[in-house]
Amino acid sequence: MRLTLIVPVFNEEEAIERFYRAVRAEPSLQEMTVEILFINDGSVDATEALCADLARADEWVSVVNFSRNFGKESALFAGLEYADGDVVVPMDVDLQDPIELVATLIERWRSGAEVVLAKRRSRESDSSLKRWTARLYYRLHNWIASTSIEENVGDFRLLDRKVVVAIRQLPEQQLFMKGVLSWVGFRTEIVEYDRPRRVAGCSKFGFWRLWNLALDGITSFSTLPLRLWSYVGAVVSLCALVAAVYRIVDQLLHGSDAPGYPSLIVTMLFLGGIQLIGIGILGEYIGRIYQETKHRPRYVVREVLGRRAARRRPSAGQ
């Protein structure tokens, strides 16, 4: 059995060598062939040079260098396209995804599972705001989306070869990998673990990137916001009709005691805000359609290092 670890990296010079040493020193992985596939997502520090040094020293280390930063979602998909192990495990380089847990994932795979999810037992290491927003997002996504995603499960999971082949066939350019990895299905099991702190560096996902990722997840797997806004428009129109009838009856019975009243301004602002929100939601979906119709590649590879990966080419194209 051959295992491929897909490791997207972006400005992770402090963690590269620690990760490599941890993988090679892990006792539970000594009896199998472990390939480390670094996907360098346009790093501007020493990450590329460090990965290149490892690829020259170890034949089971490969590096795919992007021409610029395309984002972690594209890097993960590139890893799946270049990986050719019997099982594939995407994981972070910061060692928050425990190396020793990989053997447990493989045991579940050998027992018949085709996808094994690594699920965090808790998010105590995160801030209260991040825990609350993550919980809210998972519940919202699973309520409105056609494909549910397991709560507190990131990219760290084991994928059987047939699962990787299925994911490669998906043609979409705007990627939300958590949803993509869940959409394909297959026999799935869950392994829970305690997530340690980062060994080096800092997270590259700030609030704005997480917000955009959340929008990508909702618009990629649900059209409910569009349908919901039709209902909102119907309710607002009905309320406006009832208010109009009331004003007409009141005018006929009692006359007008206020030639200009503030409620008119409030109503206009309310309806204007509703319209702008609806246009914004339409714009999100139209923007995704626009990006998809251009058929640009998900990423551009500048260089592939490593004797083994250099002989490969993505089977589904970029």
Side-chain angles (χ1 to χ4, degrees), residues 45-60:
D45 61 359
T47 295
E48 181 177 338
L50 292 170
C51 291
D53 290 341
L54 293 175
R56 282 190 289 268
D58 187 337
E59 66 172 325
W60 290 105

Side-chain angles (χ1 to χ4, degrees), residues 49-252:
L50 292 170
C51 291
D53 290 341
L54 293 175
R56 282 190 289 268
D58 187 337
E59 66 172 325
W60 290 105
V61 174
S62 303
V63 186
V64 176
N65 288 315
F66 284 179
S67 61
R68 64 170 176 83
N69 179 252
F70 285 89
K72 188 178 182 181
E73 307 298 291
S74 294
L76 282 171
F77 201 93
L80 295 174
E81 291 194 308
Y82 276 89
D84 65 350
D86 300 306
V87 292
V88 172
V89 177
M91 61 191 313
D92 292 338
V93 74
D94 55 17
L95 295 179
Q96 287 190 287
D97 300 334
I99 302 296
E100 61 273 15
L101 189 64
V102 173
T104 304
L105 303 182
I106 292 173
E107 288 178 8
R108 295 294 186 92
W109 171 73
R110 285 175 170 156
S111 300
E114 294 162 320
V115 177
V116 186
L117 307 178
K119 180 177 180 177
R120 298 169 62 174
R121 288 194 180 93
S122 70
R123 303 181 69 102
E124 293 303 321
S125 59
D126 295 336
S127 65
S128 299
L129 177 62
K130 190 170 183 179
R131 290 199 301 270
W132 181 81
T133 53
R135 188 182 308 113
L136 177 64
Y137 173 73
Y138 279 116
R139 292 180 180 177
L140 175 63
H141 182 279
N142 291 338
W143 176 57
I144 69 175
S146 57
T147 301
S148 297
I149 56 177
E150 186 69 30
E151 188 171 352
N152 294 333
V153 173
D155 302 315
F156 185 32
R157 64 189 71 199
L158 179 144
L159 304 173
D160 184 88
R161 184 72 193 164
K162 63 173 71 72
V163 182
V164 174
V165 172
I167 294 172
R168 286 176 173 179
Q169 297 172 2
L170 302 181
E172 60 210 69
Q173 264 69 45
Q174 302 299 303
L175 295 168
F176 177 66
M177 288 304 295
K178 284 185 180 181
V180 167
L181 294 170
S182 300
W183 181 87
V184 292
F186 293 94
R187 290 193 297 270
T188 303
E189 293 190 15
I190 298 175
V191 172
E192 294 189 345
Y193 74 103
D194 295 315
R195 188 173 175 85
R197 295 186 179 277
R198 253 181 174 266
V199 297
C202 60
S203 174
K204 308 304 184 296
F205 273 82
F207 173 79
W208 188 245
R209 293 189 68 176
L210 289 173
W211 169 255
N212 287 328
L213 185 64
L215 288 180
D216 285 342
I218 291 174
T219 54
S220 293
F221 290 91
S222 176
T223 58
L224 182 61
L226 293 174
R227 191 178 310 161
L228 182 63
W229 222 246
S230 300
Y231 299 137
V232 171
V235 171
V236 171
S237 298
L238 180 61
C239 292
L241 179 62
V242 171
V245 171
Y246 170 78
R247 296 305 305 174
I248 291 172
V249 173
D250 184 65
Q251 176 75 16
L252 292 175

